[in-house]
Amino acid sequence: MLQGSLVAIVTPMKDDGELDFDALTSLIDWHIDAGTAGIVIVGTTGESPTVSVAEHKALIDITVKHVAGRVAVIAGTGANSTQEAIELTRFAQQVGADYSLSVVPYYNKPTQQGMYEHFKAIAEAVTIPIILYNVPGRTVADLANDTVVRLSAIKNIVGLKDATADLYRASDLFDRLPADFACYTGDDGSAAAFMLMGGHGVISVTANVAPQLMADLCRHALAGDVAATRRINNKLLGLHRDLFVEANPIPVKWALAEMGRMGQYIRLPLTPLSEAHHHLIRAALQRAEAI
């Protein structure tokens, strides 16, 4: 089972808005060297809503080729159209991604049965392992625990990214899901507790700027070392909080530019980080010794 710190990696862009593949591959190498266990490409943090289908596929393809088996590649392939999600998931399988990450259909507000049928149709169209992604703060629709348990019976649905930050809900899932079904949190602030309670890792925004600390946090939490987990988490608290002072990935792209890792271009309708927040992110980076 894939465990640990899985970075929800940003999509670097040049000053003219074109994708910056050189910066992306540089970030990937940095993450692998720092102990990141997997690269999640074209998720929410990767600006999946604003890239074209062709760009989406290119990002997956280049990431798989550059990683070259060194760590796992989890390709974001979700969509609110079942057919588009199938197309993207088939492509990820074709180019050799290790997993796909499939978000709850957004905007069209399906029922629980609709979500079950959506994910079932994707799973039946491919053989690649699928990780479900529940983020009701963005999708409005909320994948209920009962539906996750139903979906876990489908052979190639192998995990869940839960971004609700609801630890009671997580503990219910840990109790009811098969032992080989992976549970990842999508909330950095509760990741330490999530793993100490039985979760398997985090799909992380914070890891974008503090990959080694997040990898260490996961390693200690998964080993049950509460003292070490608390010590590292305390260094990261500012990042967990302030990287969401505006909509993700606005703050994290600014932070990476501040660190000299890439440019800070972000596509509309998102806009660059407000100057009033610069000091917050800079202070959080300093506390985590990222700058």
Side-chain angles (χ1 to χ4, degrees), residues 212-221 226-237 240 288:
Q212 186 169 339
L213 276 181
M214 282 303 298
D216 289 345
L217 175 77
C218 291
R219 178 167 50 85
H220 288 299
V226 176
T229 301
R230 182 186 297 127
R231 174 178 52 80
I232 297 169
N233 196 55
N234 285 344
K235 293 182 71 172
L236 293 167
L237 284 176
H240 294 338

Side-chain angles (χ1 to χ4, degrees), residues 94-275:
Q94 174 189 332
V95 299
D98 299 288
Y99 300 85
S100 76
L101 179 68
S102 197
V103 71
V104 165
Y106 39 86
Y107 189 78
N108 43 21
K109 298 174 68 173
T111 63
Q112 294 300 312
Q113 185 62 27
M115 286 184 268
Y116 176 82
E117 296 291 348
H118 170 83
F119 289 120
K120 180 173 179 284
I122 298 168
E124 289 177 344
V126 296
T127 58
I128 188 174
I130 296 169
I131 299 169
L132 309 172
Y133 178 17
N134 189 35
V135 57
R138 286 185 181 265
T139 63
V140 182
D142 185 355
L143 187 66
N145 280 13
D146 287 347
T147 308
V148 174
V149 173
R150 285 183 70 197
L151 286 164
S152 71
I154 297 173
K155 183 177 180 181
N156 58 326
I157 295 181
V158 300
L160 169 72
K161 175 186 177 182
D162 176 79
T164 65
D166 185 336
L167 293 175
Y168 175 83
R169 181 173 180 154
S171 62
D172 177 60
L173 283 172
F174 300 155
D175 183 54
R176 297 169 62 195
L177 286 167
D180 60 352
F181 192 88
C183 290
Y184 311 104
T185 180
D187 177 69
D188 284 297
S190 59
F194 183 92
M195 288 181 282
L196 287 167
M197 290 170 56
H200 303 104
V202 56
I203 296 179
S204 172
V205 175
T206 298
N208 276 282
V209 295
Q212 186 169 339
L213 276 181
M214 282 303 298
D216 289 345
L217 175 77
C218 291
R219 178 167 50 85
H220 288 299
L222 291 168
D225 187 338
V226 176
T229 301
R230 182 186 297 127
R231 174 178 52 80
I232 297 169
N233 196 55
N234 285 344
K235 293 182 71 172
L236 293 167
L237 284 176
L239 290 173
H240 294 338
R241 179 188 63 240
D242 294 333
L243 288 179
F244 296 91
V245 71
E246 290 183 9
N248 178 48
I250 292 172
V252 73
K253 290 196 90 170
W254 184 89
L256 283 163
E258 181 75 358
M259 296 169 68
R261 293 281 175 183
M262 51 175 263
Q264 62 173 295
Y265 189 94
I266 193 163
R267 285 184 178 174
L268 288 170
L270 300 183
T271 51
L273 183 69
S274 302
E275 189 172 349

